[in-house]
Amino acid sequence: MSEPHIDDFSKYARPHVGSPEGRRLILRAAGRIVGTTVALLVLYTLVPVPGSSGAGVLVGLIGGLAVFAVVVGWQIQSIISSSNPVIRAVEVVSFALPLLVVVFAFTYLSVSRADPASFSEDLSRVDSFYFTVSTVSTVGFGDVHAESDAARVLVTIQMLFDLALIAGLVRLVILATRTGLRRRGAEVEPPHGDAD
């Protein structure tokens, strides 16, 4: 038996997007996406930057990535049990990317504060955020770049993490969405042998 395609489960994606209830669900999801993104950006702008050594920055990065893994793992689990797995999956991806950007932007900001020669210029919060987004998006304009070996190692870690995120997170979200849709389908479908 072949694996069903995600579109095969569209009949279980209730309520319909065009219905008033469906529009309310989408608006609430959009509100949560905007709210969490704004909250992450406010947190990024308000958290004081420690004057850390290289080891302190590395510990902070590992801690940030651990928080990222735990929170995103928990959110992927929530897709499976959600009454609207597709909408929940969009929320998870929309949360994971800004969280990852904030973790790396704060790391670059900390590195720049500890050693201003680590990058081509002393990074502000905006510069760090800009540099992180240009790295995630693989644009890499080159106007801001890593100068020290430690900064280059961190940027390399981010690039590898971004590749893993694209390959791994998206696959996990799709798998969780399929599982959630199958679960919903099993709840909606009558048992075999029942008359219509």
Side-chain angles (χ1 to χ4, degrees):
M1 186 161 108
S2 68
E3 187 74 21
H5 190 268
I6 197 161
D7 292 337
D8 296 339
F9 295 104
S10 61
K11 62 184 174 187
Y12 305 118
R14 306 273 191 274
H16 188 269
V17 175
S19 72
E21 185 183 351
R23 285 191 295 271
R24 279 192 297 275
L25 283 171
I26 290 171
L27 284 174
R28 281 196 298 262
R32 283 190 297 270
I33 290 168
V34 169
T36 55
T37 302
V38 167
L40 285 169
L41 291 175
V42 167
L43 186 65
Y44 171 68
T45 60
L46 295 179
V47 171
V49 181
S52 307
S53 65
V57 169
L58 188 59
V59 167
L61 175 62
I62 291 169
L65 292 178
V67 167
F68 173 83
V70 168
V71 170
V72 171
W74 168 76
Q75 288 203 343
I76 287 173
Q77 284 292 329
S78 75
I79 295 170
I80 296 169
S81 60
S82 175
S83 59
N84 293 292
V86 174
I87 291 174
R88 186 71 189 118
V90 170
E91 286 183 78
V92 169
V93 172
S94 298
F95 172 76
L97 186 59
L99 179 59
L100 185 66
V101 168
V102 166
V103 166
F104 276 102
F106 195 79
T107 302
Y108 296 141
L109 183 60
S110 299
V111 167
S112 181
R113 294 276 168 91
D115 181 11
S118 294
F119 291 91
S120 55
E121 59 186 70
D122 190 16
L123 300 181
S124 67
R125 287 182 192 263
V126 172
D127 295 332
S128 298
F129 194 82
Y130 165 79
F131 177 69
T132 305
V133 170
S134 69
T135 303
V136 167
S137 64
T138 68
V139 172
F141 292 114
D143 51 344
V144 178
H145 56 274
E147 292 278 337
S148 70
D149 287 345
R152 287 180 176 150
V153 167
L154 285 174
V155 173
T156 303
I157 289 170
Q158 182 196 347
M159 289 186 283
L160 292 172
F161 201 82
D162 293 345
L163 290 172
L165 177 74
I166 290 166
L169 178 66
V170 171
R171 180 153 175 78
L172 285 173
V173 167
I174 289 171
L175 269 155
T177 304
R178 285 182 176 167
T179 303
L181 289 170
R182 278 192 202 100
R183 181 194 53 77
R184 281 205 54 199
E187 291 172 359
V188 172
E189 257 182 28
H192 293 292
D194 286 357
D196 285 335

